[in-house]
Amino acid sequence: MLVLAARLRAIPRDRLAAALASRRLDHSSVGDLFDLAEALTSTDSLDHAIERLERPSLAVLVVAAEMTDDTGWTDREVVSSELRRHGGDELARRLPEISERLEGLLLMLREDERIHVPPEVGARLHARLGDDLPELEALVAPAPPVALPRDRADHGLLERRAAETAYATVAATAELLAGLAVQPARELAKGGFALPDAKRLAEATGVELEAFPLLVRRATESGLIVRDGPVWLESDDGAAWVLLGTSARWVRLAETWRSRIPAPLRDVVVRRSEALTAASIKDDVEWYYPGGGTWLQDGLARLLEDAEALGLAVGGDPLETAALVLGGDVDGAATRLSRHFPPQVDKVYVQHDLTIVSPGPLEPSLDARLRTFADVEGRDLASSYRVTEASVNRALASGDDEGEIRTFLERISLTGIPQPLAYLLGQSAARFGTVRVGAADPSEAPARSYVRSADAQLISTLLVDQTLSALGLRQDGGERLLSRFPTEVVFWGLSDARYPVAAEDGEGRIVRLRRHHVGHVPQPGRRTDPLEAMLDRLAEADAEGGTELAWLSRQLEAAARAKETLNVTVRMPGGETADYLLAPASVANGRLRARDRKSDIERTLPISAIAAVAPAPAGAVGD
């Protein structure tokens, strides 16, 4: 540990930060470099690092650890020879490169032609070899031959099937966002969507209820939906995403999938994916990372779980698009898949039965506009929408007007505007605002809103309509009803019940309400990076120590805790120096109390008289 602590002291801050970023340790418990060395050689930290070592690095580290002396040092040529003796000629050739990587992980130190493996690293490797790690011979053995590509179905057919699946996933995600835009979903206390909302949205997206959580998870991870308090909403990014083309939508989902797979796992899959099936990819990855662990299993599960839904695999077999995405060429994969996506259209058929039929996938911006005044009835390659008095009233309430709707339909319709639809638009516009909803006066508490209409018969109808019973409407004069619910709740309750309702302010002017709410992803507050905070503490502790005397004291204290034997160089009165083999017992009041291992007596020395300390030479402890 002393060698590691001394090396940590010499590493520039930026390089040390990069090395520590890959290691697991409790940053808050580290107060100085000796604490850091102790944390890095703890069992948990070492296991975390070993599990993430690829086979070549693990083989070199095991061989180096076995070749070290009692102090943890060995010569590079000794390691190289041992690798060759076990048949690892290629590993011996790559030894400088692999050693540099291991040094970057603080699992190995190098000094000229010498290599140091902290004894704690060697002990942990020895404990795991033959248990959950392969024996040395298996580690050094070359990779098994790559499986030859087996005969597959026509690649064009596979890509078309994959594209169909990818298109369906994108379309289902878009419907999920559309459903949340109209009506947010409630969050259960234990997590997940409330069952009524899950059923409603699963039906709208065309996804089985059992598979619905996967759809939600992909949308959440992609930042398309967000939880706002007790409800789930479409996010700002989601509102922009739905206006993109199918290919661009797919790219966002594929990039998220790729980002969730650990980089080492991506690399090894790309290296061999062209010749492997999903099952042999799993075998190959597990061979390449023999330490494995939860990170590997979770990464593999993620790799295979969503690949099918995104059109990157068919029947468990990865396609060329999977290698493109994992290799970082997501746009190239999108270009390849999108060749088989159905072409988008910008014209529709408006029919006499008040339905609007799109002969193919409608351009996203046109689809979004159409949904403002029409309800979706069927979603497939050819979609259908229906215009109703309630849907038109919804559009008018959100700020639309009859002229804008007519102009839009005239622009996209291949059949003009049939007379029944023209009549419905005119009638809805004429009736709009027959029922008004506004905020109640504070003196009318507990009422929070009112409903009024000049049509007394309509007020009577509202009062007895059972579909409105949840609003708790009560009479307040001939033309007014009161409710304890806010204006928006009452407004949308009446709108959903197909009444020609409008919201108004205190002066009777119509107020435009929009049901389409988006959730804003909160900007994270500025937080202190625990790694940077730890590095600041280390620098401060080293500066406060100030002198080599303080550094010597910390080395002696660490050796006493670890019960290590040191070679201590002491300045003698005449100016000469003498070396003692000491096992430190305690450091206090500027003095060292230690057991002399050669003479077997206890010595007490002033720390100011100590010129240097070093780990005991190999074999010296047993002399």
Side-chain angles (χ1 to χ4, degrees):
M1 191 171 71
L2 294 180
V3 176
L4 178 58
R7 180 58 59 89
L8 292 172
R9 191 186 191 202
I11 299 176
R13 177 170 175 143
D14 57 341
R15 285 179 52 200
L16 182 59
L20 294 176
S22 63
R23 296 294 300 273
R24 174 190 288 173
L25 65 153
D26 180 5
H27 299 93
S28 62
S29 66
V30 175
D32 58 30
L33 291 169
F34 290 93
D35 291 340
L36 178 57
E38 190 173 352
L40 289 171
T41 52
S42 68
T43 299
D44 286 346
S45 182
L46 290 177
D47 283 343
H48 179 269
I50 289 169
E51 288 171 0
R52 285 157 177 76
L53 286 180
E54 77 285 1
R55 203 176 192 95
S57 293
L58 189 57
V60 167
L61 186 62
V62 169
V63 170
E66 289 199 352
M67 293 296 101
T68 57
D69 57 27
D70 294 341
T71 65
W73 286 96
T74 187
D75 292 326
R76 189 174 74 175
E77 188 53 41
V78 171
V79 176
S80 181
S81 297
E82 184 68 7
L83 287 168
R84 290 191 177 92
R85 189 175 74 82
H86 286 279
D89 292 345
E90 176 63 17
L91 292 177
R93 186 187 65 79
R94 295 177 56 199
L95 181 57
E97 162 207 337
I98 296 174
S99 298
E100 183 178 1
R101 166 170 161 71
L102 290 169
E103 187 174 34
L105 296 171
L106 300 175
L107 294 170
M108 176 185 287
L109 305 176
R110 297 182 298 167
E111 189 174 282
D112 298 326
E113 294 300 310
R114 304 188 72 209
I115 289 174
H116 175 78
V117 179
E120 296 86 354
V121 176
R124 189 58 191 152
L125 286 170
H126 181 74
R128 295 184 62 173
L129 285 179
D131 183 10
D132 60 336
L133 291 177
E135 295 285 3
L136 176 57
E137 289 73 14
L139 282 175
V140 178
V146 178
L148 292 175
R150 59 192 178 91
D151 292 336
R152 288 183 169 182
D154 175 65
H155 277 237
L157 176 61
L158 287 176
E159 283 198 353
R160 283 192 291 274
R161 286 179 56 191
E164 289 174 6
T165 304
Y167 181 84
T169 297
V170 171
T173 306
E175 289 302 319
L176 170 64
L177 270 62
L180 291 176
V182 172
Q183 182 178 341
R186 289 170 293 131
E187 165 84 355
L188 293 174
K190 61 182 180 181
F193 285 17
L195 185 58
D197 290 319
K199 287 182 175 179
R200 168 178 65 87
L201 293 168
E203 182 178 358
T205 58
V207 172
E208 295 293 332
L209 189 59
E210 294 75 16
F212 181 68
L214 295 178
L215 181 69
V216 172
R217 190 204 68 206
R218 283 192 294 267
T220 304
E221 291 175 350
S222 297
L224 304 180
I225 63 175
V226 64
R227 186 163 67 88
D228 185 3
V231 297
W232 283 89
L233 300 164
E234 177 187 27
S235 70
D236 297 317
D237 284 350
W241 181 85
V242 296
L243 298 179
L244 300 175
T246 304
S247 181
R249 291 176 176 179
W250 182 87
V251 165
R252 176 70 174 262
L253 299 177
E255 286 175 339
T256 300
W257 175 76
R258 180 180 185 273
S259 69
R260 295 282 170 166
I261 299 171
L265 186 55
R266 293 200 302 262
D267 295 341
V268 73
V269 172
V270 169
R271 180 176 64 87
R272 291 163 67 93
S273 62
E274 288 187 0
L276 297 171
T277 64
S280 55
I281 281 179
K282 183 174 183 293
D283 294 339
D284 185 54
V285 168
E286 289 177 346
W287 179 89
Y288 198 63
Y289 289 94
T294 304
W295 78 273
L296 185 67
Q297 299 305 321
D298 290 349
L300 278 171
R302 169 58 59 114
L303 176 72
L304 302 175
E305 187 176 62
D306 286 340
E308 199 97 13
L310 293 173
L312 301 173
V314 174
D317 287 345
L319 302 179
E320 288 79 1
T321 46
L324 288 174
V325 173
L326 291 170
D329 188 8
V330 183
D331 289 334
T335 300
R336 188 161 186 152
L337 267 182
S338 62
R339 292 180 303 181
H340 305 291
F341 286 166
Q344 294 179 339
V345 300
D346 58 2
K347 298 294 182 181
V348 297
Y349 296 98
V350 182
Q351 305 187 127
H352 286 73
D353 63 354
L354 304 180
T355 60
I356 299 174
V357 177
S358 169
L362 195 58
E363 287 186 1
S365 60
L366 301 182
D367 173 74
R369 179 70 178 94
L370 195 53
R371 287 171 184 260
T372 61
F373 61 86
D375 298 320
V376 179
E377 281 200 330
R379 291 293 291 175
D380 209 333
L381 294 184
S383 302
S384 62
Y385 309 77
R386 180 172 294 278
V387 183
T388 65
E389 185 174 348
S391 68
V392 174
N393 197 82
R394 179 181 69 226
L396 297 175
S398 65
D400 224 335
D401 65 43
E402 180 191 3
E404 291 174 343
I405 295 174
R406 284 179 179 270
T407 300
F408 173 72
L409 286 175
E410 287 169 352
R411 179 164 61 86
I412 68 169
S413 175
L414 293 169
T415 53
I417 301 180
Q419 192 275 333
L421 179 57
Y423 176 78
L424 175 65
L425 293 175
Q427 183 186 49
S428 298
R431 295 189 61 203
F432 176 64
T434 303
V435 179
R436 300 289 184 96
V437 177
D441 191 89
S443 63
E444 297 176 301
R448 299 173 65 185
S449 61
Y450 66 82
V451 180
R452 71 176 183 87
S453 176
D455 187 339
Q457 182 62 42
L458 185 54
I459 287 292
S460 299
T461 301
L462 294 175
L463 196 59
V464 298
D465 190 337
Q466 291 302 305
T467 62
L468 303 177
S469 59
L471 298 178
L473 297 174
R474 59 184 177 84
Q475 190 86 42
D476 180 50
E479 297 182 353
R480 285 176 100 241
L481 302 174
L482 295 177
S483 173
R484 67 181 184 277
F485 294 100
T487 301
E488 271 202 13
V489 173
V490 176
F491 173 85
W492 290 114
L494 293 172
S495 177
D496 291 342
R498 302 176 183 272
Y499 287 98
V501 61
E504 65 180 11
D505 60 16
E507 298 181 4
R509 294 176 300 217
I510 290 181
V511 177
R512 306 302 184 183
L513 297 182
R514 295 186 65 86
R515 178 175 271 178
H516 184 173
H517 298 291
V518 296
H520 304 288
V521 180
Q523 293 296 323
R526 186 172 182 178
R527 296 189 301 173
T528 303
D529 184 340
L531 176 57
E532 290 297 324
M534 184 190 72
L535 292 173
D536 288 340
R537 288 198 305 276
L538 294 177
E540 184 179 346
D542 198 38
E544 286 178 354
T547 65
E548 289 303 313
L549 193 64
W551 177 248
L552 280 172
S553 297
R554 289 298 288 120
Q555 287 178 289
L556 295 169
E557 289 169 1
R561 285 202 310 269
K563 296 181 171 57
E564 293 181 355
T565 299
L566 302 176
N567 188 69
V568 179
T569 302
V570 180
R571 300 184 189 91
M572 306 306 287
E576 299 87 358
T577 61
D579 291 339
Y580 292 91
L581 200 61
L582 301 179
S586 66
V587 177
N589 300 320
R591 304 181 75 80
L592 165 68
R593 185 170 61 84
R595 170 69 58 178
D596 190 316
R597 295 301 298 270
K598 288 192 174 182
S599 61
D600 197 27
I601 63 173
E602 185 174 285
R603 296 184 184 276
T604 301
L605 302 170
I607 296 176
S608 58
I610 298 175
V613 298
V621 175
D623 290 345

